[in-house]
Amino acid sequence: MSSNVFGTLFRLMTFGESHGLEIGAVIDGCPAGMALDAADIQRDLDRRRPGQSRYTTQRREEDRVRIVSGVFEGRTTGTPIGLMIENQDQRARDYNEIKQLFRPGHADWTYWKKYGIRDYRGGGRASARETAMRVAGGAIARKVLRSLGVEIQGCLIAMGPVKIDPNRKNWGEVAQNPFFCPDSESVAKFEELLDRCRSQGDSVGAMLEVVARGVPVGWGEPVYGRLDADLAAGMMGINAVKSVEIGAGSHAAEGFGSQMADEMIPDAEAPEGVRFASNHSGGILGGISNGNEIVVRLAVKPTPSIHSELRTVNTMGLAQIIQTRGRHDPCVGIRAVPVAEAMMALVLVDHYLRHRARAGIFKVLHD
Amino acid sequence: MSSNVFGTLFRLMTFGESHGLEIGAVIDGCPAGMALDAADIQRDLDRRRPGQSRYTTQRREEDRVRIVSGVFEGRTTGTPIGLMIENQDQRARDYNEIKQLFRPGHADWTYWKKYGIRDYRGGGRASARETAMRVAGGAIARKVLRSLGVEIQGCLIAMGPVKIDPNRKNWGEVAQNPFFCPDSESVAKFEELLDRCRSQGDSVGAMLEVVARGVPVGWGEPVYGRLDADLAAGMMGINAVKSVEIGAGSHAAEGFGSQMADEMIPDAEAPEGVRFASNHSGGILGGISNGNEIVVRLAVKPTPSIHSELRTVNTMGLAQIIQTRGRHDPCVGIRAVPVAEAMMALVLVDHYLRHRARAGIFKVLHD
Amino acid sequence: MSSNVFGTLFRLMTFGESHGLEIGAVIDGCPAGMALDAADIQRDLDRRRPGQSRYTTQRREEDRVRIVSGVFEGRTTGTPIGLMIENQDQRARDYNEIKQLFRPGHADWTYWKKYGIRDYRGGGRASARETAMRVAGGAIARKVLRSLGVEIQGCLIAMGPVKIDPNRKNWGEVAQNPFFCPDSESVAKFEELLDRCRSQGDSVGAMLEVVARGVPVGWGEPVYGRLDADLAAGMMGINAVKSVEIGAGSHAAEGFGSQMADEMIPDAEAPEGVRFASNHSGGILGGISNGNEIVVRLAVKPTPSIHSELRTVNTMGLAQIIQTRGRHDPCVGIRAVPVAEAMMALVLVDHYLRHRARAGIFKVLHD
Amino acid sequence: MSSNVFGTLFRLMTFGESHGLEIGAVIDGCPAGMALDAADIQRDLDRRRPGQSRYTTQRREEDRVRIVSGVFEGRTTGTPIGLMIENQDQRARDYNEIKQLFRPGHADWTYWKKYGIRDYRGGGRASARETAMRVAGGAIARKVLRSLGVEIQGCLIAMGPVKIDPNRKNWGEVAQNPFFCPDSESVAKFEELLDRCRSQGDSVGAMLEVVARGVPVGWGEPVYGRLDADLAAGMMGINAVKSVEIGAGSHAAEGFGSQMADEMIPDAEAPEGVRFASNHSGGILGGISNGNEIVVRLAVKPTPSIHSELRTVNTMGLAQIIQTRGRHDPCVGIRAVPVAEAMMALVLVDHYLRHRARAGIFKVLHD
């Protein structure tokens, strides 16, 4: 119900604007007794932090997180965990010229019409700066999941028209380049594409993939709290995302049932004694995890902040020409990778708790 | 939180299994004073009803809806609207042979592992039979929206490898064929494809599109109650859906910022005095409707109930071969069209009420 | 959020009006695998059923419950449990004369003003008839709790000016009289008081007490999902209830800290090795159960349906005199006892699941 | 669902411990465009602030609130409002001696058992320090309500055995003494009682009354989102509250229907043309406001922190004697007055928005 809360039993609430003094988050429902310090969160924040390569915005933010509650003597206490980050590199005056203009492709116009007022400084609340707090919350979710043997990893599988070669996909490569790219041979192509964008003042979209390994059978609540529905909401709610696919995704529309079946094979080494011959389902059947790898893909649109002249209107409704200057990511999809991992972690830990609430109370004996 | 409730201010709760005696729904939060009778709901139910053409399952269900509460002297009273439909053509014994088998691609295995028990008759709760109640609830949502000038329409734009020609897309055609197909020249190809599936005991996927026209600027609640996030959850939560796209969708990943901008143009005839030169955003910016048409696409996988022999396991964990017989839709995507429309309606009416709760209380004067 | 849903992880949704064809309930979130049949529910329904003694309304309702979903082969499946009861003794025409009148002390006026329309037949949705469904849902909650060793019992400790003698309070007496009275010597006084009310066309209030035994330490979610807060909401939400007290209740205001301390004493036989010397807290500290008996008291007002002439207004806003005839309970507090037990059960089972979701995941070693 | 969130459409989330570095709150759902600055909030905080008279704790806290988000150029923007207060007078070492002891009547034992860990410094999260944030959130709620003509006021009507004289009750007196006492002649008695408590190291309970004037007919959502149920939850959830009464409250149990009717009289000057001859209902019928004054009373227990020696156990389960020293309120009921006002404001503004979401969409014409 709440606009700024994500999750049900493990909840993230965020607040703060791009150019306010601080941004914050509260995690409500984290299990008690887990070791936690700021470094656990900082690691993930640093992966999303701007200004780390010449391919992302040059806004300088250290993104130092401060834990203000919910942790005592190094452990979570079951009470809400408050997190705060100072905005250091605010340059509100950079935005004076767009005070009365609506940038096409941004949320300027819709916030203005919805609320009758907007914080025009860098998009205010609609800025991707808010996603720092998703990553912070996601880091805590991840630590819970890791204790259960669940690992989440994301990567960038296409940038604009350049797609990686699926045969060369190697998760070990992801941390070796500034693009979260799992195919080392695509890295140079991505660099070239971004250099071109930068010189032309243009931007480019990206396709991401996020997987979760080690999720047991049984997470997900049919029929409206399905795991796939919640993942779709979590991912589509990330700034600039325009599509979400699970497993075979849109290819499922093109195929035949005889091709799409994920046959089941007894396998003593598989978690529940069963292995799937394929994973078109992306690890989810009927909204419930089936023990296979959970696979989600999402399309991130090119940032609409480009140097080209675009037609727009001002707050008086008059025609104007706008040309965006300033510090922007040519491909927001890159830094969206840790954000998408965070959303996956938040959805999964929530469903872990939801499942745990009711699982195994009554045993049924079957003949 | 609740697994079987959809929405926040306008809520649908459903209950019932495929081969139980009845299925039901409760709509909580419908505004009072709206004229409503069973015929309003029946119209939409009839569009989803099985057995209407030779291209859908031959299960015989009249799907007669009965309003048991919330309507008095022909008008809604603001109290919950209870709806019931009897299951007439149950054939529980058809399912005896799968009692101990898990059908690949179905939710049999995941329900069994999650709950330790399952109603194996036709998928029980996981059956698409549940979607009848989504359509019923959606019909009420639609009637509210219609009073505001909002219209929702869905169609099938691809079946397996056969795609319609976008240049021939004509919404007026949708009601003229059993496929909700907007391109009259594709109808014969769809028929041919389905006849082939039927003769081979195979099934096929489909791509759907649903649009909403007349949605004003301002519906949607950032940042976790975004309109696009809620639409994604609503659509991905429909049985067999594997991808959800909004506006440019997955094409957004391939493009450049200079191609994707939806320029804004003053236009005295547009609802808020502004027209968009294109609609890559699909009518949503920053999670809030921008006044443009809302456009969602979803991929529906082929039903996994096919005649081919597939490897599976039984409840003892032993290897088995399964071959599905019985009455099944060769393309579940067809009957998913009214379901997707219903989910769109439910999301929109909920956001209408959420927006209405807070809109326009304080006026801000701008110089 | 939803007006007609109670609870979070174990949820009851009810629908239906006093003189509609049917009333219904859906229980969402009941753990799977529990043995359940209609008789489990009927037992509690029969305790609330009208017309069982000459001291309650003579409306004739069998209150036969029908389970329409969520149970398969005698066990809950984890899917929503649908319950339906037919209204048999509707006499809508009895209400024609109040169609245009607002009965003082009833919800007629407030529903009319809120919704612009009302089902005037017997109070419609505001009728205590709705509480049958609370009892039905509570019966299922109780069965879960019983499997954990938690027992709930309610009684009537005062009727109008007549109070039981606390020294004679004997829970074994409760089932022996039509008043749920734990003091056998007060029964005759209650009879006399009700006979007087009946002959004078008057009604009388009552004070109820409900206790839960066997609740372990740890249920309740601070600081806004506290067990006492949720009990207060559950009880105050019962028709005609005007006060809720926990433990010492309003006496806590009158006392001193030196009198109110519940000292703690090591006791190897107590559940957690600790016994409390007294129970002013009513079993709840900081919103969390402390292992002691949970004790709640509630005041039920006299039904406002009395034979005296009262001043009121009609739908035109004109002054009128109203005099209620028809079948009414002279003391609605009596039949409120099983309802209050049901609300206690619903709150407790919900908190059991909420606690279970997160308890014991991480162990902290203390030196 | 969330433990630390209060409300549905207007939501308060709080975080922070008594002796952590900061406490915080987020208000989600405040309407946009309302003028707001820190002074609006500070005014109410100052009324709750400790150390203002010799009758409250001597802990020195300035309680300076800092708005970190959601307000732009002096107006709310519709995004979440983040509030932070630094804890200045932490004295964690004061609590070393209770590190291993459970204080009777406090939440020490229940937090320990529930979470396996506790922040023992001053009660940690269970401390009344958290209520500062309720007051801060309530101040914003109040400002919204004030724009609608709704005013909320609380007072202390009894302290231990000393009750005010209802005939001398004068709301104008409340701000003239440190007890929020509406009867000037009772002030000296309260002083005397507190001096006695202080010299004896004892504490005392209190009875509070809170009223809301100007609430229109129609707020409240039957049957589980009733206004009275939500008020009961809000009030019972305040630290140390043990009873909640509405209108006639517990006296309703003692009375007869003929005494309790609130007759309705046409009155052109009343808001909806109707005046009530009395207000036993406390302004709420069927869970919906009836236009009359809303009247709630609550009992606050004496703080259990007293100088007497009490029996308790330690973390090893061994018998111990405890004697509380330190800075404590002899009557926590006093500072609970602004907290209770805040909870009333939060409940009312939430129901205002909930009602507003659906009210008046369809008009019904009555003959």
Side-chain angles (χ1 to χ4, degrees):
Chain A
M1 180 63 262
S2 223
S3 314
N4 293 281
V5 174
F6 187 81
T8 55
L9 284 179
F10 188 103
R11 288 197 148 177
L12 172 72
M13 183 183 232
T14 69
F15 55 105
E17 278 81 33
S18 183
H19 292 260
L21 294 177
E22 291 167 276
I23 55 174
V26 191
I27 289 85
D28 194 9
C30 184
M34 183 176 76
L36 185 74
D37 61 24
D40 291 315
I41 301 165
Q42 201 62 50
R43 247 186 310 275
D44 278 1
L45 279 173
D46 286 347
R47 295 174 64 227
R48 194 213 73 104
R49 193 148 61 84
Q52 300 200 102
S53 81
R54 64 194 177 95
Y55 301 108
T56 58
T57 171
Q58 296 307 300
R59 178 169 172 170
R60 291 271 157 215
E61 291 291 350
E62 273 188 273
D63 281 356
R64 280 284 130 207
V65 72
R66 174 169 106 244
I67 301 179
V68 304
S69 67
V71 176
F72 184 60
E73 298 181 342
R75 292 191 175 269
T76 58
T77 60
T79 64
I81 303 170
L83 304 177
M84 301 295 295
I85 292 176
E86 276 178 49
N87 286 330
Q88 299 174 309
D89 191 10
Q90 314 131 251
R91 298 200 196 160
R93 67 176 182 282
D94 282 13
Y95 294 95
N96 266 340
E97 63 189 53
I98 62 156
K99 189 172 169 174
Q100 322 237 8
L101 286 184
F102 303 113
R103 296 167 301 165
H106 279 283
D108 299 354
W109 158 260
T110 52
Y111 269 68
W112 173 264
K113 282 291 167 185
K114 181 177 186 67
Y115 296 115
I117 182 175
R118 75 182 165 113
D119 178 348
Y120 53 78
R121 301 166 307 168
R125 179 75 182 147
S127 163
R129 179 119 195 87
E130 186 269 342
T131 61
M133 280 312 183
R134 303 186 185 214
V135 171
I140 299 176
R142 251 169 139 142
K143 192 154 187 195
V144 178
L145 291 171
R146 211 166 276 147
S147 77
L148 305 168
V150 175
E151 287 292 337
I152 291 163
Q153 205 172 12
C155 67
L156 200 145
I157 58 173
M159 189 187 285
V162 183
K163 292 178 174 55
I164 67 157
D165 180 340
N167 299 317
R168 281 197 310 260
K169 189 164 148 194
N170 174 357
W171 284 101
E173 289 293 332
V174 170
Q176 310 303 319
N177 62 74
F179 308 116
F180 302 102
C181 175
D183 166 17
S184 59
E185 295 186 30
S186 293
V187 171
K189 292 182 204 156
F190 286 0
E191 287 178 349
E192 189 189 347
L193 181 60
L194 285 179
D195 285 335
R196 185 146 46 91
C197 280
R198 203 169 269 292
S199 70
Q200 295 173 358
D202 207 347
S203 62
V204 68
M207 184 66 79
L208 277 61
E209 184 173 287
V210 190
V211 302
R213 301 182 193 96
V215 176
V217 190
W219 294 3
E221 303 279 326
V223 297
Y224 299 119
R226 293 165 58 124
L227 187 55
D228 41 7
D230 283 359
L231 284 169
M235 298 301 176
M236 193 66 94
I238 299 172
N239 312 43
V241 170
K242 299 305 287 182
S243 82
V244 182
E245 308 184 52
I246 292 182
S250 60
H251 295 298
E254 299 164 8
F256 291 91
S258 48
Q259 304 160 334
M260 286 281 161
D262 295 328
E263 292 180 293
M264 298 171 74
I265 299 157
D267 181 345
E269 293 183 16
E272 298 280 345
V274 170
R275 184 168 51 83
F276 290 86
S278 53
N279 191 17
H280 297 100
S281 73
I284 303 174
L285 284 170
I288 303 171
S289 62
N290 69 3
N292 219 327
E293 218 168 67
I294 292 178
V295 183
V296 179
R297 274 182 307 285
L298 44 152
V300 181
K301 74 175 184 181
T303 176
S305 301
I306 54 174
H307 290 195
S308 318
E309 295 192 337
L310 296 173
R311 287 173 295 171
T312 189
V313 299
N314 65 11
T315 55
M316 315 299 285
L318 303 176
Q320 302 281 316
I321 294 298
I322 193 167
Q323 202 183 359
T324 309
R325 300 277 171 211
R327 306 163 300 176
H328 296 288
D329 286 290
C331 176
V332 285
I334 300 171
R335 288 170 56 215
V337 171
V339 180
E341 291 173 348
M343 298 314 290
M344 172 81 96
L346 289 164
V347 170
L348 287 178
V349 80
D350 194 41
H351 275 283
Y352 159 57
L353 297 179
R354 290 166 76 170
H355 178 64
R356 195 176 188 275
R358 286 179 280 242
I361 297 177
F362 299 99
K363 314 281 183 225
V364 183
L365 296 179
H366 302 280
D367 351 86
Chain B
M1 180 62 262
S2 224
S3 314
N4 294 282
V5 174
F6 188 80
T8 56
L9 284 179
F10 188 101
R11 287 196 148 177
L12 172 71
M13 183 184 231
T14 69
F15 54 104
E17 278 80 33
S18 183
H19 291 260
L21 293 177
E22 291 168 278
I23 55 175
V26 190
I27 289 85
D28 193 10
C30 184
M34 183 175 77
L36 184 74
D37 62 23
D40 291 314
I41 300 165
Q42 201 62 50
R43 247 188 309 276
D44 278 359
L45 278 173
D46 286 347
R47 295 175 63 229
R48 194 213 72 104
R49 194 150 59 86
Q52 301 198 105
S53 82
R54 63 192 176 97
Y55 302 109
T56 59
T57 171
Q58 296 307 301
R59 179 170 171 169
R60 289 274 157 215
E61 292 291 349
E62 273 189 274
D63 282 356
R64 280 285 131 208
V65 71
R66 172 169 110 243
I67 300 178
V68 303
S69 67
V71 176
F72 184 60
E73 297 180 345
R75 292 191 176 266
T76 58
T77 60
T79 64
I81 304 170
L83 305 176
M84 302 295 295
I85 293 177
E86 276 179 49
N87 286 328
Q88 300 173 309
D89 192 8
Q90 312 134 250
R91 297 200 197 161
R93 66 175 182 283
D94 282 14
Y95 294 94
N96 266 340
E97 61 189 55
I98 62 154
K99 189 173 170 173
Q100 321 239 7
L101 284 184
F102 303 113
R103 296 169 300 166
H106 279 285
D108 299 352
W109 159 260
T110 52
Y111 269 68
W112 172 263
K113 282 290 166 185
K114 182 176 185 68
Y115 297 115
I117 182 175
R118 74 182 167 111
D119 178 347
Y120 53 79
R121 302 166 304 170
R125 179 76 180 146
S127 163
R129 179 117 194 89
E130 186 270 342
T131 61
M133 281 310 183
R134 303 185 185 215
V135 171
I140 299 176
R142 250 168 142 142
K143 191 152 188 195
V144 178
L145 291 171
R146 211 166 277 147
S147 77
L148 306 167
V150 175
E151 286 291 339
I152 290 163
Q153 205 173 12
C155 67
L156 201 144
I157 57 174
M159 189 186 286
V162 182
K163 294 179 172 53
I164 67 157
D165 181 340
N167 298 318
R168 282 198 308 260
K169 190 165 150 192
N170 176 356
W171 285 100
E173 290 293 332
V174 170
Q176 310 304 319
N177 61 75
F179 308 116
F180 303 103
C181 175
D183 167 17
S184 59
E185 296 187 30
S186 292
V187 170
K189 292 182 205 158
F190 285 179
E191 287 178 348
E192 187 188 348
L193 181 59
L194 285 178
D195 285 335
R196 187 146 44 93
C197 281
R198 203 169 268 292
S199 70
Q200 296 173 356
D202 208 348
S203 63
V204 68
M207 184 68 79
L208 278 62
E209 186 173 286
V210 189
V211 303
R213 303 183 191 93
V215 175
V217 191
W219 294 4
E221 303 279 326
V223 297
Y224 298 118
R226 293 164 59 125
L227 187 55
D228 40 7
D230 283 359
L231 284 169
M235 298 302 177
M236 193 67 93
I238 300 172
N239 310 41
V241 170
K242 300 304 287 182
S243 82
V244 181
E245 307 183 53
I246 293 182
S250 60
H251 295 298
E254 298 163 9
F256 291 91
S258 49
Q259 304 160 335
M260 286 281 162
D262 294 328
E263 292 181 294
M264 299 171 72
I265 298 157
D267 181 345
E269 293 184 20
E272 297 280 346
V274 170
R275 181 168 53 82
F276 290 86
S278 52
N279 191 17
H280 296 100
S281 75
I284 303 174
L285 284 171
I288 303 170
S289 62
N290 69 3
N292 219 325
E293 218 167 71
I294 292 178
V295 183
V296 180
R297 275 183 307 286
L298 45 151
V300 181
K301 74 174 184 181
T303 176
S305 302
I306 53 175
H307 291 196
S308 317
E309 296 194 335
L310 295 173
R311 287 173 294 170
T312 189
V313 298
N314 65 11
T315 55
M316 315 298 285
L318 302 177
Q320 302 280 317
I321 294 298
I322 193 168
Q323 203 183 357
T324 310
R325 300 273 171 214
R327 309 163 298 176
H328 296 288
D329 286 289
C331 176
V332 284
I334 300 170
R335 289 170 56 215
V337 170
V339 181
E341 291 173 348
M343 297 315 290
M344 173 82 96
L346 289 164
V347 170
L348 288 178
V349 81
D350 194 42
H351 275 284
Y352 160 58
L353 297 179
R354 289 165 77 169
H355 178 65
R356 194 175 189 278
R358 285 179 281 243
I361 297 177
F362 299 99
K363 314 280 183 227
V364 182
L365 296 178
H366 302 278
D367 349 84
Chain C
M1 179 64 263
S2 224
S3 314
N4 294 282
V5 174
F6 188 80
T8 56
L9 285 180
F10 188 102
R11 288 197 147 176
L12 172 72
M13 182 182 232
T14 68
F15 54 105
E17 278 83 32
S18 184
H19 291 260
L21 293 177
E22 290 168 277
I23 55 175
V26 190
I27 289 86
D28 194 9
C30 184
M34 184 174 76
L36 185 75
D37 61 24
D40 291 314
I41 301 165
Q42 201 63 50
R43 247 185 311 273
D44 278 1
L45 279 172
D46 286 347
R47 296 174 64 228
R48 194 211 73 103
R49 195 147 60 84
Q52 302 199 103
S53 81
R54 62 195 178 94
Y55 301 108
T56 58
T57 172
Q58 296 307 302
R59 178 168 173 170
R60 290 274 158 213
E61 292 291 350
E62 274 189 89
D63 282 356
R64 280 284 132 208
V65 70
R66 172 169 109 243
I67 301 179
V68 304
S69 66
V71 176
F72 184 60
E73 298 179 345
R75 294 192 172 266
T76 59
T77 60
T79 63
I81 303 170
L83 304 176
M84 302 295 295
I85 292 176
E86 275 179 49
N87 285 329
Q88 300 174 309
D89 191 10
Q90 313 133 251
R91 298 201 196 158
R93 67 177 180 283
D94 281 13
Y95 295 95
N96 266 340
E97 61 189 53
I98 62 155
K99 190 172 168 173
Q100 322 237 8
L101 285 183
F102 304 113
R103 297 167 301 165
H106 279 283
D108 299 353
W109 158 259
T110 52
Y111 270 68
W112 171 265
K113 282 291 167 184
K114 181 176 186 69
Y115 297 115
I117 180 175
R118 76 181 164 111
D119 178 347
Y120 53 79
R121 302 166 304 168
R125 178 77 181 145
S127 162
R129 178 117 195 89
E130 185 270 340
T131 61
M133 280 312 183
R134 303 185 186 216
V135 171
I140 299 177
R142 250 168 141 143
K143 192 153 188 196
V144 178
L145 291 171
R146 210 165 278 147
S147 77
L148 305 167
V150 175
E151 286 292 338
I152 291 163
Q153 205 172 12
C155 66
L156 201 144
I157 58 174
M159 190 186 285
V162 182
K163 293 179 174 56
I164 68 158
D165 180 340
N167 299 317
R168 282 197 309 260
K169 188 164 149 194
N170 175 357
W171 284 101
E173 289 292 333
V174 170
Q176 309 304 317
N177 61 76
F179 308 117
F180 302 102
C181 175
D183 166 18
S184 58
E185 296 186 29
S186 293
V187 170
K189 294 182 204 158
F190 286 180
E191 286 178 349
E192 190 189 347
L193 181 59
L194 285 179
D195 284 335
R196 185 146 45 92
C197 280
R198 202 169 270 291
S199 70
Q200 296 174 355
D202 208 347
S203 62
V204 68
M207 183 68 77
L208 278 60
E209 184 173 287
V210 190
V211 302
R213 302 183 193 95
V215 176
V217 190
W219 294 4
E221 304 279 325
V223 299
Y224 298 118
R226 292 165 58 124
L227 187 55
D228 41 8
D230 283 358
L231 285 169
M235 298 301 176
M236 193 66 93
I238 298 173
N239 312 42
V241 170
K242 299 305 286 184
S243 81
V244 182
E245 307 184 53
I246 293 182
S250 60
H251 295 298
E254 298 164 7
F256 292 90
S258 49
Q259 304 160 333
M260 285 283 162
D262 294 328
E263 291 181 294
M264 299 171 73
I265 299 158
D267 181 344
E269 292 182 19
E272 297 279 345
V274 170
R275 184 168 51 83
F276 290 86
S278 53
N279 191 17
H280 297 100
S281 73
I284 303 174
L285 285 170
I288 303 170
S289 62
N290 69 2
N292 220 326
E293 218 167 67
I294 292 177
V295 183
V296 179
R297 274 183 308 285
L298 43 152
V300 181
K301 74 174 184 182
T303 176
S305 303
I306 53 175
H307 290 194
S308 317
E309 295 193 336
L310 296 172
R311 287 173 294 171
T312 189
V313 300
N314 65 11
T315 55
M316 314 300 284
L318 303 177
Q320 302 281 316
I321 295 296
I322 192 167
Q323 203 183 359
T324 309
R325 299 274 172 215
R327 309 163 297 175
H328 295 287
D329 286 290
C331 176
V332 284
I334 301 171
R335 287 171 56 215
V337 171
V339 180
E341 291 173 348
M343 297 315 289
M344 172 81 97
L346 289 164
V347 170
L348 288 178
V349 80
D350 194 41
H351 274 284
Y352 159 58
L353 297 179
R354 290 165 76 169
H355 178 63
R356 195 176 189 275
R358 286 179 280 241
I361 297 178
F362 299 100
K363 313 283 184 225
V364 183
L365 296 179
H366 302 279
D367 349 85
Chain D
M1 180 62 261
S2 224
S3 314
N4 293 282
V5 174
F6 188 80
T8 56
L9 285 179
F10 187 101
R11 287 197 148 177
L12 172 71
M13 183 184 232
T14 69
F15 54 105
E17 277 80 32
S18 183
H19 291 261
L21 294 177
E22 291 167 276
I23 55 174
V26 190
I27 289 85
D28 194 10
C30 184
M34 182 175 77
L36 185 74
D37 61 24
D40 292 314
I41 301 165
Q42 201 63 50
R43 248 185 310 275
D44 278 0
L45 278 173
D46 286 347
R47 294 174 66 229
R48 194 214 72 104
R49 194 149 60 84
Q52 301 199 104
S53 81
R54 63 194 177 94
Y55 302 108
T56 58
T57 172
Q58 296 306 301
R59 179 171 172 168
R60 290 274 158 214
E61 292 290 350
E62 273 189 273
D63 282 356
R64 280 284 131 209
V65 71
R66 174 170 106 242
I67 300 179
V68 304
S69 67
V71 176
F72 184 61
E73 297 180 344
R75 292 191 176 269
T76 58
T77 59
T79 63
I81 303 171
L83 304 176
M84 302 295 295
I85 293 177
E86 276 179 48
N87 285 329
Q88 300 174 308
D89 191 9
Q90 315 131 251
R91 296 199 199 162
R93 66 175 182 284
D94 282 13
Y95 294 94
N96 266 339
E97 61 189 55
I98 62 154
K99 189 172 169 174
Q100 323 239 5
L101 286 184
F102 303 114
R103 295 168 302 166
H106 279 284
D108 299 353
W109 158 260
T110 52
Y111 269 68
W112 172 264
K113 282 291 166 186
K114 182 177 184 68
Y115 297 116
I117 181 175
R118 76 181 165 113
D119 179 347
Y120 53 80
R121 302 166 305 169
R125 179 74 181 149
S127 164
R129 179 118 195 87
E130 186 270 341
T131 61
M133 281 311 184
R134 304 185 184 215
V135 171
I140 299 176
R142 250 166 139 144
K143 193 155 187 194
V144 178
L145 291 171
R146 211 165 277 148
S147 76
L148 305 167
V150 175
E151 287 291 338
I152 291 162
Q153 205 171 12
C155 67
L156 201 145
I157 57 173
M159 189 187 287
V162 183
K163 293 178 172 56
I164 67 158
D165 181 340
N167 299 318
R168 282 198 309 260
K169 190 164 147 192
N170 175 356
W171 284 101
E173 289 292 332
V174 170
Q176 309 304 317
N177 62 75
F179 308 116
F180 303 103
C181 175
D183 166 17
S184 60
E185 296 186 31
S186 293
V187 170
K189 291 182 205 158
F190 285 180
E191 287 178 349
E192 189 188 345
L193 181 60
L194 285 179
D195 285 335
R196 186 146 45 91
C197 281
R198 202 170 268 291
S199 70
Q200 295 173 355
D202 208 348
S203 62
V204 69
M207 184 67 79
L208 278 60
E209 185 173 287
V210 190
V211 303
R213 302 183 192 94
V215 176
V217 190
W219 295 3
E221 304 278 326
V223 297
Y224 299 118
R226 292 164 60 124
L227 187 55
D228 41 7
D230 283 358
L231 285 170
M235 297 302 177
M236 192 66 93
I238 299 173
N239 311 44
V241 170
K242 299 305 288 181
S243 82
V244 182
E245 307 183 53
I246 293 182
S250 60
H251 296 297
E254 298 164 8
F256 291 90
S258 49
Q259 305 159 334
M260 286 281 161
D262 294 328
E263 291 181 295
M264 299 171 72
I265 300 157
D267 181 346
E269 293 184 18
E272 297 280 345
V274 170
R275 182 167 54 82
F276 290 85
S278 52
N279 191 16
H280 297 100
S281 73
I284 303 174
L285 283 171
I288 302 171
S289 61
N290 69 2
N292 219 324
E293 217 168 70
I294 292 177
V295 184
V296 180
R297 275 184 308 285
L298 44 151
V300 181
K301 73 175 183 181
T303 174
S305 302
I306 53 174
H307 290 195
S308 316
E309 295 193 337
L310 295 173
R311 286 174 294 169
T312 189
V313 299
N314 65 12
T315 54
M316 315 299 286
L318 303 177
Q320 302 281 316
I321 294 298
I322 193 167
Q323 203 183 357
T324 309
R325 300 275 171 213
R327 308 163 299 177
H328 295 288
D329 286 289
C331 176
V332 284
I334 301 171
R335 289 169 56 214
V337 171
V339 180
E341 292 173 348
M343 297 315 291
M344 172 82 97
L346 289 165
V347 170
L348 288 177
V349 80
D350 194 41
H351 275 285
Y352 160 57
L353 298 179
R354 289 164 77 169
H355 178 64
R356 194 175 190 276
R358 286 179 281 242
I361 296 177
F362 299 100
K363 315 280 183 226
V364 183
L365 296 179
H366 302 279
D367 351 85

